[in-house]
Amino acid sequence: MILKICGIVRIPPLSKIRFILLQNRQGKTRLAKYYVPLEESEKHKVEYEVHRLVVNRDAKFTNFVEFRTHKVIYRRYAGLFFSVCVDITDNELAYLECIHLFVEILDHFFSNVCELDLVFNFHKVYLILDEFILAGELQETSKRAIIERMSELEKLE
Amino acid sequence: MASSNSLMDSLFQRSLEDLIKGLRLGESTFISRSLEEIRREIKLTDLSTKSVALQKLSYLAALHGVDMAWAAFHAVEVVSSSRFAHKRIGYHAIAQSFSDQTPVMLLITNQLRKDLNSSNEHEVSLALECLARIGTDDLARDLTSEVFTLLGSSKALVRKKAIGVVLRVFDKYPDAVKVCFKRLVENLESSDPQLLSAVVGVFCELTAKDPRSYLPLAPEFYKILVDSRNNWVLIKVLKIFAKLASIEPRLAKKVADPVCEHMRKQNVGKSLLFECIRTVFSSLSDQETALKLAVAKIREFLVDDDPNLKYLGLHALSIVAPKHLWAVLENKEAVVKAMSDEDPNVKLEALHLLMAMVNEDNVTEISRILMNYALKSDPLFCNEIICSVLLPCSRNSYEIIVDFDWYLSLLGEMARVPHCQRGKEIEHQLIDIGTRVKDARLELVRVSRALLIDPALLGNQFLYPILSAAAWASGEYVEFSKSPYEIAEALLQPRTCLLPDSIRAIYIHSAFKVLVFSLGAYFSAQQPTSPPLAQESTSSGHSMVNGFTYNSISSLVNMIELGLCSLSGTIDVEVQERAKNILGFIGMIKHEIAEKATSQNSETEGHRAIAFMEDVFSEELGPVSSTAQEKVPLPEGLELNENLEGLQEICREVLEPMAESDYSSDKVSFSVAKLRIRDQEEASSSLPPPLESSSLLAEHRKRHGLYYLSSQKSEDHNDREGNDNNTSNEYPPANEISVDSFKPKKKISKPRPVVVKLDEGDEPKRKPDASSSNDESLSRAIQTALMGKGKGKEKEKEIVKENHEMNVDTENIEQSSRREKKNKKNGERSSKRSSRRQRGKEASVTKPVEVPDLLL
């Protein structure tokens, strides 16, 4: 699928996940991981649009919205929106699970995680994310395994 | 830049935490100050300082949009450190900021290689992650062997990541397949679910692009499907099978059983269940048991309270709707209930499903319900509703419409819906119906009149296309109207100044047609023998037409003259030209009218002039197929192959005036355009007629005999008699459409109507060339890897043939849509998404030959 608006860079239909965003209700991005090449200006546009899409939806609505030629699966945890952009053909429920798994891991790692934790430990969050998803594909689905990995890595520091 | 601070700064570097704290207190100046700091720090030799600076920079770049491309070299430096912490920061920065254009990309090749070969698995994994993110062609090529080694590593973690990277490497450097593929396949037999999940994920992506190459691996996938207990793995395998089964029907039969097994399980996860259902609906829909089971399961989704499940249920139904409408009909209540749901997504899906259910019998009822909804909804949804009513109704030349009078009045109603923004589509359909369905013209004129007379509508810019269609229809079929005077008055009312000039031009031209018609009626009213008029007075409404008295005609003429006087000086040349044309004509004819009242002489100048003008407008305009140009047989003596440079001069003169005036308004009188084309023809045929043309023609006919019309007449050589019979050879016999004879109409092959308006631009019909050549080399490589050398060549030919088949396929779609019969009510009606894709293919196939109507 070719992203219509992004005229500068053609996005190869390679990764299942295109990007993951963590944004708060005001629109500030707390985490942005892109698995496709995008220019800076494009990234900003994307973040802005996704935020607008997601923040206006009622809690009773479905957790999936169409975004350009893809889908965004999102869920709100306290004041943060976790948004994952995937292909149209992807299984939405599976990615909802994926988001929940990520949140659970963060919770375990930071002991009752809150937004501030994510702000001050952004590199750790990235680390966890990298263990979790590689090149846009979900690679580890066991919470235990990831936490073990992380503790190993911590020891190396 | 206080000097007191700089001492502090040089002694203590701000850590990342300090940076963040500082940011939270005050933004933009802090960022620029920090950036300066970072620039300074990063140039120092101490790796620790460098890495902290890099870390801060990454943070700023990730979350505050600061550019960090300039630090690329420093990132490379940091990565070369032996400390893991530094490496991590460095790789993170690289993964975040490097792109194909980064100049220092070459420098990391060696570093990556070193790390990939490292004994420390964490370093390896870092390197793999980085490679996965930024891999370029060169990197992929250079590091293939390392990846290959890692694919066989004893540490599961490393192997898993290597598998993840493999996909990227394959994409960038297809030859890597020869090296790595075998190991990849070996991993399919692993028992570690995580590993399996990674491998299957890779194959899922690969099969999505090129399913045929991976058919030989089906047995392995089957084993996984049956044995695995991990939902993630199963979902991915199901996706793979969905692709494979659609190209290999025997596979579908085999796979149906395990899929049903999964569906029947007690505590099956909803995500897995949904994926099973989706697979069944999209690829296994021929398998009876599987299908029935899936439909039963989807019902559970539909009645669930969770909006996610409801939405997914509707979504799945829309996948199966085209082939198995009964599934949708069974769940009709759920669908209707979903229409009133608050979530726009759910409503939209329900709407599409509802329209998929529409057929001849219920179209009136459903449209009525939907229009009521539309009036109550927000603008966006309202337009969606309108759009989704218009589309199925117009499909296959209005296949499901039996009562065109009702449909036309519905179109008129739509124009009055406050939020309506679908002017173009409605306009198109109004005109289309007018040209195709003769019996509906009376109603069309009635509806148009209502639209034209209402001055309020002139203020709504979304309605302009509809108004222009109404104006055109009123002018073209003025013989059906009850009161031409009223129409002319409506067309020239003062508020029309709000219209854009192009539409104004149409209004004026229609007024001209009305005038000519009225004059014709008036003049021939005195004559007892006037056959042309007798034909048209088929309904009671026409008796008034012949009753043009001197007073009524002169008031009409005066009114038109008055209305147009002011326009003869407008800036727009369109409007001005037409106004002046009419005024000139009126000037010519005015005294004839006066004479007429007094004298009894039937053959005056006026008569001849009127008769002439009537002839000009008397040809029936029919719908033109987008491929009509191809069907035109080459006229005698026309040489197509010879260089036509000599004609440049002549052509330019002829084409330019045509382009200017007629391009803006498509509804120019057909005959006028024909006059010009005739000139062109004569000019071109002035070349010496070679003998080749007739043999070329014969060849062409032989090859494409199907598309040649039986009669020898081409559109260009129509006589000037204005006889309806001439046109009926090329155009669909619109005369025969009525309530009773609806079935016979379909048997006559019609030119394919241009129904679809792709407002949002064309969708690409196939992958663009750059990627497809890469994909081909990839699939070829995979073929060889799987089949071995012998069959490799065969597969190559197969691939080439397959591409050719794809070309032929789109042609077949066109052909079959031409010969479509009305017999199947439910079959072959595409759901929105697949039909969009299909129509996108069709439209883009027909696009090159689509000529604007006037150019024929």
Side-chain angles (χ1 to χ4, degrees):
Chain A
M1 260 180 275
I2 299 180
L3 202 61
K4 279 178 197 153
I5 302 180
C6 177
I8 312 165
V9 179
R10 200 194 115 232
I11 300 192
L14 198 56
S15 23
K16 275 295 171 65
I17 301 181
R18 287 170 187 271
F19 57 80
I20 300 183
L21 292 178
L22 259 69
Q23 293 167 312
N24 68 7
R25 269 194 300 176
Q26 281 74 41
K28 275 193 90 77
T29 308
R30 293 299 179 202
L31 181 99
K33 180 86 186 178
Y34 290 86
Y35 295 97
V36 288
L38 278 182
E39 303 272 314
E40 283 297 318
S41 50
E42 266 302 310
K43 286 185 185 169
H44 279 233
K45 230 199 282 183
V46 161
E47 285 165 24
Y48 178 70
E49 279 180 35
V50 170
H51 173 77
R52 225 162 36 116
L53 253 187
V54 144
V55 84
N56 289 324
R57 281 174 69 80
D58 194 284
K60 291 191 294 261
F61 291 175
T62 58
N63 292 101
F64 338 114
V65 265
E66 275 193 25
F67 173 64
R68 300 186 182 177
T69 52
H70 317 291
K71 254 195 303 225
V72 166
I73 298 165
Y74 72 96
R75 199 176 234 170
R76 182 167 155 205
Y77 289 88
L80 271 182
F81 287 96
F82 286 69
S83 314
V84 175
C85 176
V86 297
D87 288 341
I88 289 270
T89 52
D90 277 335
N91 188 318
E92 296 88 336
L93 295 173
Y95 281 104
L96 263 183
E97 286 294 313
C98 162
I99 294 178
H100 193 72
L101 184 61
F102 186 48
V103 174
E104 277 187 0
I105 296 175
L106 286 176
D107 194 43
H108 188 275
F109 202 71
F110 291 105
S111 307
N112 276 333
V113 65
C114 65
E115 195 176 328
L116 225 51
D117 286 325
L118 301 179
V119 172
F120 276 100
N121 295 294
F122 94 108
H123 47 288
K124 289 216 185 95
V125 179
Y126 268 109
L127 210 61
I128 297 176
L129 195 55
D130 281 338
E131 282 304 313
F132 192 29
I133 296 175
L134 185 67
E137 287 283 342
L138 201 59
Q139 58 160 341
E140 183 65 64
T141 53
S142 151
K143 187 165 122 179
R144 202 176 38 87
I146 297 187
I147 294 182
E148 273 174 26
R149 271 283 293 168
M150 291 308 295
S151 37
E152 273 178 41
L153 283 171
E154 289 279 285
K155 280 192 226 133
L156 284 174
E157 298 276 328
Chain B
M1 283 284 264
S3 52
S4 58
N5 275 350
S6 58
L7 186 61
M8 266 288 266
D9 294 344
S10 56
L11 283 179
F12 298 107
Q13 188 189 28
R14 260 189 254 264
S15 74
L16 180 63
E17 271 206 33
D18 300 330
L19 178 73
I20 297 178
K21 283 199 193 123
L23 270 175
R24 285 171 68 77
L25 294 173
E27 281 265 343
S28 55
T29 45
F30 188 78
I31 290 185
S32 46
R33 249 191 312 136
S34 317
L35 257 182
E36 280 176 34
E37 274 179 19
I38 292 173
R39 274 182 202 264
R40 249 185 316 122
E41 290 163 3
I42 212 166
K43 296 201 179 93
L44 301 175
T45 45
D46 175 28
L47 278 176
S48 299
T49 334
K50 233 197 250 276
S51 60
V52 174
L54 192 60
Q55 192 183 43
K56 290 194 285 187
L57 186 56
S58 315
Y59 179 81
L60 287 177
L63 297 179
H64 295 275
V66 170
D67 173 45
M68 69 179 281
W70 54 269
F73 183 67
H74 299 294
V76 177
E77 285 182 316
V78 171
V79 160
S80 60
S81 154
S82 50
R83 272 193 63 190
F84 182 75
H86 296 168
K87 266 201 211 288
R88 195 168 48 78
I89 294 173
Y91 272 125
H92 175 81
I94 291 180
Q96 190 174 315
S97 61
F98 273 38
S99 70
D100 282 354
Q101 287 86 36
T102 309
V104 295
M105 186 66 91
L106 304 164
L107 296 176
I108 50 169
T109 316
N110 263 330
Q111 185 61 46
L112 276 174
R113 184 172 289 138
K114 236 177 49 168
D115 284 325
L116 282 175
N117 284 326
S118 149
S119 50
N120 181 344
E121 61 179 17
H122 300 291
E123 286 179 5
V124 176
S125 74
L126 272 184
L128 281 173
E129 278 161 25
C130 182
L131 182 60
R133 186 60 196 82
I134 60 161
T136 61
D137 301 353
D138 295 325
L139 275 177
R141 189 188 55 228
D142 295 333
L143 298 172
T144 301
S145 53
E146 274 77 19
V147 173
F148 170 72
T149 326
L150 292 172
L151 274 175
S153 153
S154 49
K155 303 200 186 87
L157 171 73
V158 171
R159 231 182 325 161
K160 194 163 44 102
K161 298 212 176 180
I163 293 171
V165 167
V166 147
L167 190 58
R168 176 125 193 159
V169 168
F170 278 7
D171 184 60
K172 294 286 178 182
Y173 180 58
D175 284 342
V177 172
K178 296 191 203 116
V179 180
C180 302
F181 199 71
K182 203 149 164 289
R183 285 241 172 123
L184 193 64
V185 173
E186 278 169 15
N187 280 312
L188 269 179
E189 288 145 28
S190 152
S191 48
D192 177 5
Q194 300 306 331
L195 208 57
L196 205 51
S197 151
V199 182
V200 169
V202 170
F203 277 111
C204 193
E205 280 291 323
L206 290 172
T207 46
K209 284 198 281 187
D210 179 25
R212 203 160 275 277
S213 320
Y214 304 97
L215 262 181
L217 292 171
E220 273 92 7
F221 294 136
Y222 186 79
K223 210 156 68 78
I224 299 176
L225 179 63
V226 170
D227 292 336
S228 171
R229 295 278 160 266
N230 183 317
N231 278 359
W232 298 99
V233 174
L234 284 171
I235 289 177
K236 294 209 176 119
V237 169
L238 280 172
K239 280 209 203 290
I240 296 180
F241 271 119
K243 293 271 157 34
L244 293 180
S246 41
I247 51 172
E248 182 60 69
R250 290 172 298 172
L251 202 56
K253 231 188 299 186
K254 270 214 95 189
V255 167
D257 283 324
V259 174
C260 288
E261 275 303 310
H262 283 299
M263 280 200 278
R264 288 197 194 104
K265 282 212 198 99
Q266 278 296 82
N267 287 331
V268 64
K270 287 270 187 266
S271 53
L272 179 60
L273 182 57
F274 179 67
E275 195 61 41
C276 290
I277 295 175
R278 193 180 14 210
T279 311
V280 170
F281 280 173
S282 51
S283 319
L284 304 178
S285 55
D286 300 328
Q287 309 297 320
E288 284 282 336
T289 30
L291 185 63
K292 286 212 173 65
L293 183 57
V295 175
K297 291 287 176 185
I298 209 76
R299 173 167 275 254
E300 291 171 19
F301 271 63
L302 284 172
V303 302
D304 199 303
D305 281 329
D306 184 353
N308 288 337
L309 294 179
K310 234 190 298 191
Y311 171 76
L312 288 175
L314 291 170
H315 187 68
L317 272 183
S318 64
I319 300 178
V320 80
K323 282 199 186 161
H324 298 274
L325 202 58
W326 57 269
V328 183
L329 291 171
E330 259 182 28
N331 295 304
K332 203 157 56 148
E333 322 86 49
V335 175
V336 174
K337 196 155 154 268
M339 273 292 284
S340 43
D341 196 292
E342 287 171 351
D343 186 350
N345 283 354
V346 175
K347 272 201 284 197
L348 213 56
E349 286 293 331
L351 179 63
H352 296 321
L353 276 175
L354 212 56
M355 287 323 287
M357 288 196 277
V358 85
N359 59 25
E360 268 182 16
D361 306 315
N362 58 22
V363 64
T364 25
E365 188 197 318
I366 290 191
S367 311
R368 173 72 21 224
I369 299 176
L370 285 177
M371 289 314 288
N372 286 341
Y373 263 115
L375 290 168
K376 292 186 237 157
S377 321
D378 55 289
L380 197 59
F381 196 53
C382 175
N383 281 307
E384 282 289 338
I385 292 183
I386 292 180
C387 192
S388 59
V389 169
L390 286 174
L391 271 174
C393 288
S394 63
R395 202 175 280 140
N396 291 331
S397 319
Y398 314 98
E399 190 175 42
I400 59 173
I401 305 282
V402 172
D403 182 1
F404 274 91
D405 290 346
W406 161 81
Y407 188 60
L408 283 169
S409 58
L410 179 70
L411 288 177
E413 254 185 63
M414 280 187 196
R416 289 186 183 276
V417 168
H419 303 298
C420 172
Q421 289 174 10
R422 299 283 171 193
K424 279 234 142 266
E425 279 132 44
I426 300 181
E427 167 200 19
H428 173 88
Q429 290 199 11
L430 281 173
I431 296 182
D432 207 37
I433 295 181
T435 50
R436 282 175 199 279
V437 188
K438 208 163 189 177
D439 290 331
R441 286 177 188 166
L442 178 60
E443 183 64 25
L444 177 62
V445 172
R446 200 189 64 80
V447 166
S448 307
R449 173 193 161 279
L451 288 171
L452 286 173
I453 286 189
D454 188 349
L457 296 180
L458 285 164
N460 182 347
Q461 57 153 355
F462 292 114
L463 296 183
Y464 289 161
I466 306 180
L467 289 176
S468 92
W472 180 85
S474 306
E476 187 65 17
Y477 306 119
V478 61
E479 60 263 25
F480 292 97
S481 93
K482 290 205 182 95
S483 163
Y485 183 85
E486 212 177 36
I487 301 233
E489 195 179 31
L491 286 170
L492 296 171
Q493 61 180 298
R495 228 170 117 87
T496 53
C497 61
L498 291 172
L499 292 169
D501 292 319
S502 56
I503 302 193
R504 199 104 192 264
I506 300 175
Y507 267 53
I508 296 176
H509 200 70
S510 293
F512 191 20
K513 293 185 194 171
V514 171
L515 176 65
V516 166
F517 173 76
S518 315
L519 285 171
Y522 172 65
F523 272 99
S524 51
Q526 320 292 48
Q527 292 174 343
T529 57
S530 50
L533 273 184
Q535 269 182 6
E536 286 159 24
S537 51
T538 48
S539 74
S540 57
H542 297 173
S543 52
M544 283 198 237
V545 154
N546 292 331
F548 265 107
T549 64
Y550 170 68
N551 283 333
S552 61
I553 196 74
S554 63
S555 66
L556 174 67
V557 172
N558 287 336
M559 186 264 297
I560 292 183
E561 196 175 0
L562 197 63
L564 291 176
C565 259
S566 54
L567 293 176
S568 57
T570 49
I571 293 181
D572 185 65
V573 284
E574 265 314 293
V575 174
Q576 189 187 43
E577 180 181 339
R578 285 158 207 254
K580 284 217 156 123
N581 285 344
I582 304 182
L583 287 172
F585 181 68
I586 290 181
M588 183 176 81
I589 211 68
K590 218 169 178 179
H591 79 280
E592 301 288 341
I593 301 176
E595 252 189 47
K596 180 77 196 184
T598 55
S599 85
Q600 285 303 312
N601 191 356
S602 47
E603 273 302 305
T604 59
E605 277 278 328
H607 270 111
R608 282 199 289 278
I610 298 293
F612 175 75
M613 289 312 295
E614 270 196 320
D615 277 345
V616 169
F617 289 123
S618 61
E619 266 191 65
E620 178 164 317
L621 300 184
V624 180
S625 139
S626 56
T627 54
Q629 179 70 62
E630 290 181 335
K631 292 192 197 158
V632 174
L634 299 175
E636 290 292 329
L638 180 62
E639 171 61 76
L640 281 186
N641 292 337
E642 207 168 272
N643 195 325
L644 292 176
E645 256 174 18
L647 282 184
Q648 279 282 31
E649 278 302 306
I650 311 173
C651 281
R652 216 179 314 134
E653 284 171 29
V654 175
L655 281 179
E656 260 163 24
M658 207 158 71
E660 266 175 25
S661 64
D662 297 344
Y663 232 80
S664 49
S665 60
D666 309 328
K667 286 84 177 183
V668 168
S669 169
F670 201 62
S671 330
V672 178
K674 276 196 189 169
L675 284 172
R676 291 205 174 126
I677 292 192
R678 204 152 318 179
D679 290 344
Q680 218 182 334
E681 285 274 326
E682 285 169 74
S684 63
S685 57
S686 64
L687 295 169
L691 300 164
E692 303 186 286
S693 66
S694 25
S695 64
L696 282 171
L697 175 57
E699 236 184 49
H700 201 253
R701 283 206 103 177
K702 244 194 289 169
R703 260 186 294 136
H704 304 282
L706 172 68
Y707 302 112
Y708 273 78
L709 305 169
S710 47
S711 74
Q712 272 301 325
K713 285 200 172 59
S714 76
E715 286 101 294
D716 307 299
H717 290 251
N718 263 326
D719 320 326
R720 295 272 230 104
E721 290 137 24
N723 210 338
D724 276 1
N725 294 335
N726 266 356
T727 58
S728 64
N729 285 333
E730 286 86 28
Y731 299 129
N735 348 333
E736 291 167 29
I737 298 182
S738 70
V739 179
D740 308 311
S741 59
F742 202 78
K743 276 188 163 62
K745 163 200 166 202
K746 294 315 286 179
K747 298 237 177 77
I748 304 165
S749 68
K750 291 163 42 179
R752 180 171 172 274
V754 182
V755 175
V756 175
K757 286 243 186 272
L758 301 177
D759 289 330
E760 61 268 358
D762 286 333
E763 294 189 53
K765 62 174 172 170
R766 284 200 281 279
K767 288 175 277 201
D769 293 334
S771 79
S772 66
S773 61
N774 216 11
D775 292 339
E776 270 173 40
S777 58
L778 180 61
S779 32
R780 232 174 288 139
I782 302 228
Q783 305 284 342
T784 3
L786 281 174
M787 298 296 210
K789 279 239 165 107
K791 299 201 181 161
K793 285 275 167 66
E794 259 190 76
K795 285 293 174 180
E796 261 191 32
K797 287 196 215 127
E798 254 199 51
I799 296 172
V800 174
K801 198 175 74 126
E802 197 185 48
N803 284 338
H804 177 65
E805 272 171 7
M806 285 208 315
N807 293 332
V808 177
D809 264 353
T810 50
E811 275 184 38
N812 284 339
I813 294 173
E814 252 201 277
Q815 281 191 26
S816 61
S817 68
R818 279 203 198 105
R819 301 196 217 101
E820 210 158 8
K821 298 199 169 46
K822 190 189 161 258
N823 296 333
K824 307 180 194 164
K825 270 190 195 177
N826 303 333
E828 311 233 340
R829 195 166 295 151
S830 326
S831 71
K832 187 167 193 234
R833 227 176 251 135
S834 61
S835 69
R836 237 203 220 140
R837 235 179 283 129
Q838 198 192 39
R839 267 185 253 135
K841 273 195 216 151
E842 289 172 330
S844 48
V845 165
T846 58
K847 212 170 187 257
V849 301
E850 191 172 33
V851 211
D853 289 353
L854 64 98
L855 273 182
L856 283 171

